[in-house]
Amino acid sequence: TRGELHTRDAAVDARRSTLDARSRTYLYALHSHRALSRSHTRPSTTTMVAARMTSLLPLRLTRVAAARVNAVNRAATVGHAHRRQSQAISTRAAAVASSSAEDTVYRVMSANQEVSVVTVVGTSLVREAASRHRTAPTATAALGRNLMCALLLGTFKGEDETTQVMFKGDGPLGQCIAVATHDGQVKGLVSNPNADPPLRPDGKLNVGAAIGKGVLTVSRAHPSMKQPFSGTVEIRTGEIAEDVAGYLQESEQVGSAIAVGVSINRDCEVIAAGGYMVQI
């Protein structure tokens, strides 16, 4: 009936009014609570973002600084290790006996460990070898170059490991042998110390003609090996360095650039000897 509907609508309106009043009271209380919290306890959004940035920034800088410090420490450690290694492995070369302190062998490695450079200065070594074997100028150059190559190949290898470089050609020099140890000791000999063929057209000692055609054999030995590891290749030029570089490429598959030399004055005295090897 209309009376019942009117009564029901009135009840609904009263309930809505009650709910609206409660909602307004709740919202007011919630707003007051948020305002109170924002003003007394919690920072604003901008303040919170700034606080987070402030708290993260030192941490980030600290990490960067720590990374830089670690990098510096690693560089210092590597540098110290290289200096210590250079001091430890800088050796006096010798031909049967120790030579003067000016004879040294050094090795340098690239930062990525892909390039190795070994250098040797052996002036006193070759001078003493020439004096002991009483070699002619060309024989002195051949023996000195072979001694330098043996040092370049044999130094810095495993402890107690020896490296022998032997040229066996049909030239007047005969065999030319040099044996080096891991710590820079070296000895050598030639079959005919009097071999001294005519100079080359450019006026240099003809070491290639003194050695001639034949084979080059490089042997590495260690007490733990049942037998030495040996590789043999044909002699290309007889100029020592080119042949050793060819052996490394063919037998050991190592790309290398080698240069060795012995300088002799007109009085047949050794005034300089040395060499280097670059490997990749």
Side-chain angles (χ1 to χ4, degrees):
T1 62
R2 292 183 179 179
E4 293 177 351
L5 292 175
H6 180 73
T7 304
R8 188 176 298 175
D9 292 338
V12 170
D13 292 338
R15 183 174 296 180
R16 285 179 180 175
S17 300
T18 303
L19 291 176
D20 291 341
R22 290 180 180 178
S23 299
R24 286 194 298 270
T25 303
Y26 174 76
L27 292 175
Y28 176 77
L30 180 61
H31 178 74
S32 300
H33 175 72
R34 286 181 177 177
L36 182 64
S37 300
R38 185 165 56 247
S39 60
H40 294 282
T41 59
R42 298 185 61 185
S44 64
T45 304
T46 304
T47 307
M48 289 178 64
V49 173
R52 288 178 182 177
M53 293 180 62
T54 305
S55 62
L56 291 178
L57 188 60
L59 178 60
R60 190 172 302 172
L61 292 178
T62 303
R63 289 178 179 176
V64 173
R68 291 179 179 176
V69 170
N70 292 335
V72 172
N73 290 337
R74 285 196 300 270
T77 303
V78 172
H80 179 68
H82 285 174
R83 290 193 299 270
R84 183 174 57 189
Q85 183 185 25
S86 298
Q87 294 174 358
I89 63 182
S90 300
T91 58
R92 297 180 180 181
V96 182
S98 297
S99 61
S100 66
E102 65 183 10
D103 292 340
T104 54
V105 182
Y106 292 99
R107 181 177 67 175
V108 178
M109 298 291 293
S110 64
N112 57 6
Q113 304 295 311
E114 292 183 358
V115 181
S116 171
V117 180
V118 183
T119 63
V120 57
V121 177
T123 304
S124 299
L125 161 67
V126 178
R127 185 182 297 128
E128 184 177 350
S131 176
R132 293 195 176 202
H133 292 279
R134 299 181 180 179
T135 51
T138 306
T140 298
L143 178 59
R145 293 181 187 179
N146 202 19
L147 291 171
M148 298 297 102
C149 284
L151 284 172
L152 293 174
L153 294 183
T155 313
F156 313 115
K157 297 300 181 181
E159 188 174 357
D160 297 330
E161 182 175 334
T162 59
T163 302
Q164 175 179 287
V165 181
M166 180 177 66
F167 286 83
K168 188 176 182 180
D170 57 3
L173 188 65
Q175 291 187 356
C176 181
I177 305 174
V179 181
T181 62
H182 74 284
D183 57 353
Q185 300 295 310
V186 64
K187 59 183 178 181
L189 62 86
V190 292
S191 299
N192 180 17
N194 298 318
D196 195 19
L199 299 176
R200 298 188 326 192
D202 58 2
K204 296 183 179 180
L205 296 173
N206 200 343
V207 176
I211 291 181
K213 300 297 182 181
V215 294
L216 162 63
T217 302
V218 177
S219 301
R220 301 185 186 276
H222 190 271
S224 62
M225 298 180 182
K226 294 182 178 179
Q227 59 183 7
F229 169 80
S230 299
T232 302
V233 296
E234 291 185 1
I235 296 176
R236 297 182 176 183
T237 64
E239 296 293 333
I240 308 295
E242 293 90 338
D243 298 294
V244 174
Y247 159 80
L248 291 174
Q249 181 64 42
E250 294 181 19
S251 183
E252 298 187 6
Q253 288 77 48
V254 179
S256 305
I258 301 178
V260 291
V262 177
S263 180
I264 302 176
N265 61 15
R266 294 186 177 182
D267 296 329
C268 298
E269 297 178 350
V270 177
I271 58 176
Y276 66 85
M277 177 176 65
V278 180
Q279 290 185 324
I280 300 177

